[in-house]
Structure formats: C-alpha cells, structure tokens
Amino acid sequence: MEARPMTAIQQVLWELRMDYIGHPYYVSGNAILHALGQHLDPETHAAVSASHGVFVPGQFGTFPEEHTQSGIRPYLGSGLPDVEAYDDLFLQREAMHPWLLDTRARDALNTHDLRVQGGHPALAHETIMGRREDQRKQQQTTKWYVHAYLHADDPAALPLGEDVLEGLQFGGKRNYGYGEVQLKDTQMVDLDELDYSRLEGAETYLIELVTPFVLASEYPEANDRSIPWWWAENRDDLRLREEKILEQREVFRLETVDHGQVVKYLGDRPVETAKNGLQRVGSHSRYGFGELRLKPLGEQYQEPEGKD
C-alpha cells in the first residue's frame, strides 16, 4: 500500500440504511472508531482518529460562494465533491447545510423524522414528505447520510479499504439492526495541497467550533484543558454542554464548550491553526472533539460579482 503523508485525511460518506438510535446531533467519532475496530488489526486501529459524523440530507443543492465549484447539483448531499481549497472541506459539515435550495422546503428537508423504537427515539434513515394530489408523484423521499473523515499517526494506515468501511453499525440497539450504514463514497485529501488563499491577509479571523471542545473529562489521565490562548472569549462567555463517551461499557462525562459557537481568533498563524483544527485540538481529539473552522473577515474576501 502506498504511504500517504501525515497531513492526508480520508473523507467517508455512509448512507443510513436503518434508523439510528444515539446522539441527536451527530455520530460521535468514538462510535465510528468502535465500529471500525471490529474490522482492523490493533496496531492500525490505535493509529486512526475519527471525526464526528455529521448527518447530511441527500438533496439537491447549490455550492456556496466560498466553494471552488459553483452551480446547482442534483443530490449534492449524497456524494463527495472534489476538494481543492480549505473551505471545500466543510460543505457537508455544517448542521444547517446552507447549500440546500431555497426554492424547496429546506427546513423540512433538513430535519430528521423521529420514530420511537422500544421507548427510544430514533432518527429515521429517510424522510418522506407528501405532495399535493395534482402533482405527478404523491411523495418525496430524502435519504440521510453520515459524513466523517479519518486521519492517522501512521501515514501507511490510510486509506482504509472499502471492505473495512462497509457493513458498519452506529448507535444503540445494533443487535436489532439499528444504525446500519452502507458505504456511499470515500476519497483522500492532502491538507498540504489545498488552497488556503482566502485565509491569508485578513485583519480579523473568527473560529467556529464544528464539534465540542473538551474542557474536563472523567476519563483517566485525560488532563483538563483551558481554552486556547488564541481565543478572544474567556470561559465565562462560552456556552457549555455536558457530553459523554463510552469505553468498555463504562460512561465517562465530559465538560465541553458547545459546538456551533463562534469566537474571535487572536493568533497570527491562521493557516497552521486551520490545519490543526481539521486534525482537532484538545483532549479526546481522537474521538472527534475539538474540530475548528477558521473564517476570515474583510472586504477583500467578498466574492466577485457574476459568479454562478
């Protein structure tokens, strides 16, 4: 197998084949690693880290202005577009999915159906919407996908083969078939080869927490972390959330800074911070916590007029 650079990540898109019982916002990197561990030798498994898996609706969409591609694509959520620049990596990692078309019922299409299974609320693997009687089709079905990416301390560990990525299950009640996924697409991306020009030269930068940042953990020898010095906000100004990880059937509680928050960046190495944010920062980063996105502010980053 050809060795990959340390900065290479493997994007993975799974299609949900059965309802998912678990965390309502994402499939944790911890859950993804547990599922992969059943197909990997111990050495490879120990070298691999996994992001949280973001739920993506398989719908029509249009590329956002910051993306290197443009225009409308059918079922933009059900495949992995080419990645040429830093911002391309986040197309399917925003819970709001701003690429969904405004001409459709985007709020409904971006919301999971909930089905109670044995007393447990489950996220439906598909959303079925009715239509008016005068329309040709009486219903529209949206399939749901899980977007995640992997990276490894050992460059030779990636890419994982399709035989490893296929036939996985996430979440609870797996003995009853819940959380089954099917591999839809995967691709390798070298972070050093991407275009970071939009991050260069801005006067002000913001950081968005794509996944929660761990401040304290009950897990043994997981040191408590303060917020990074290059965040403008202090702890009192941040929204906190309790999270949990499961290890050997034991639950460990985490105190985290909630995902989705935006803080001001005070550092002077935006490109390096952006790369580190993709490989995640803080404790439990191997399990998907601490993913960051850097955003520049400034007139020079306004998109040119006339772009589709």
Side-chain angles (χ1 to χ4, degrees), residues 33-252:
L33 281 180
H34 274 300
L36 291 174
Q38 302 177 30
H39 302 269
L40 296 173
D41 62 79
E43 293 77 15
T44 302
H45 185 243
V48 174
S49 300
S51 75
H52 285 353
V54 178
F55 297 112
V56 184
Q59 272 292 332
F60 280 71
T62 182
F63 288 103
E65 291 184 344
E66 67 269 16
H67 203 283
T68 53
Q69 299 183 59
S70 62
I72 295 175
R73 295 290 186 276
Y75 296 101
L76 185 58
S78 61
L80 292 175
D82 293 338
V83 175
E84 299 178 9
Y86 171 71
D87 288 300
D88 295 351
L89 292 167
F90 297 96
L91 177 69
Q92 294 166 330
R93 295 198 63 75
E94 294 186 69
M96 291 179 58
H97 301 304
W99 49 266
L100 284 167
L101 295 179
D102 292 331
T103 55
R104 298 178 177 230
R106 54 174 295 121
D107 289 342
L109 296 174
N110 200 26
T111 304
H112 277 278
D113 274 347
L114 290 179
R115 298 196 283 214
V116 178
Q117 310 284 4
H120 298 273
L123 299 182
H125 67 284
E126 61 183 14
T127 301
I128 301 177
M129 295 177 58
R131 291 184 169 184
R132 299 193 311 269
E133 293 184 359
D134 60 344
Q135 291 186 310
R136 183 170 60 90
K137 293 183 178 180
Q138 295 300 304
Q139 63 185 30
Q140 179 184 19
T141 300
T142 299
K143 296 183 180 297
W144 283 91
Y145 298 82
V146 178
H147 178 278
Y149 63 91
L150 312 170
H151 61 91
D153 296 332
D154 179 3
L158 297 180
L160 300 185
E162 293 186 4
D163 58 328
V164 175
L165 299 172
E166 189 61 272
L168 304 182
Q169 286 180 277
F170 304 133
K173 300 286 186 180
R174 295 188 298 277
N175 289 343
Y176 297 92
Y178 293 103
E180 178 187 349
V181 296
Q182 175 182 331
L183 179 65
K184 184 65 188 299
D185 202 359
T186 183
Q187 65 181 1
M188 293 296 297
V189 178
D190 185 354
L191 302 183
D192 282 342
E193 297 298 321
L194 298 181
D195 179 5
Y196 294 89
S197 59
R198 291 187 74 250
L199 293 180
E200 298 171 352
E203 295 183 1
T204 304
Y205 295 91
L206 300 178
I207 288 180
E208 178 184 355
L209 279 68
V210 181
T211 64
F213 176 83
V214 178
L215 293 172
S217 171
E218 291 182 347
Y219 194 83
E221 300 181 4
N223 295 327
D224 295 351
R225 299 295 182 97
S226 61
I227 63 172
W229 67 266
W230 30 263
W231 291 13
E233 282 72 8
N234 61 45
R235 181 167 175 154
D236 295 335
D237 297 327
L238 297 170
R239 185 178 68 251
L240 305 182
R241 173 184 291 276
E242 182 182 279
E243 294 279 347
K244 300 176 183 178
I245 61 170
L246 180 67
E247 193 71 40
Q248 301 298 328
R249 297 188 176 181
E250 185 173 357
V251 176
F252 298 95

Side-chain angles (χ1 to χ4, degrees), residues 198 201-206 264 295-302:
R198 291 187 74 250
E203 295 183 1
T204 304
Y205 295 91
L206 300 178
K264 189 175 180 180
K295 295 183 176 182
L297 291 182
E299 293 183 359
Q300 64 268 48
Y301 294 94
Q302 298 291 329

Side-chain angles (χ1 to χ4, degrees), residues 237-284:
D237 297 327
L238 297 170
R239 185 178 68 251
L240 305 182
R241 173 184 291 276
E242 182 182 279
E243 294 279 347
K244 300 176 183 178
I245 61 170
L246 180 67
E247 193 71 40
Q248 301 298 328
R249 297 188 176 181
E250 185 173 357
V251 176
F252 298 95
R253 299 180 185 277
L254 311 177
E255 182 184 9
T256 72
V257 182
D258 200 4
H259 65 290
Q261 291 181 90
V262 177
V263 298
K264 189 175 180 180
Y265 174 64
L266 298 179
D268 57 1
R269 304 170 75 178
V271 173
E272 182 174 327
T273 302
K275 292 180 182 179
N276 289 339
L278 288 167
Q279 299 179 69
R280 298 179 296 282
V281 299
S283 66
H284 301 299

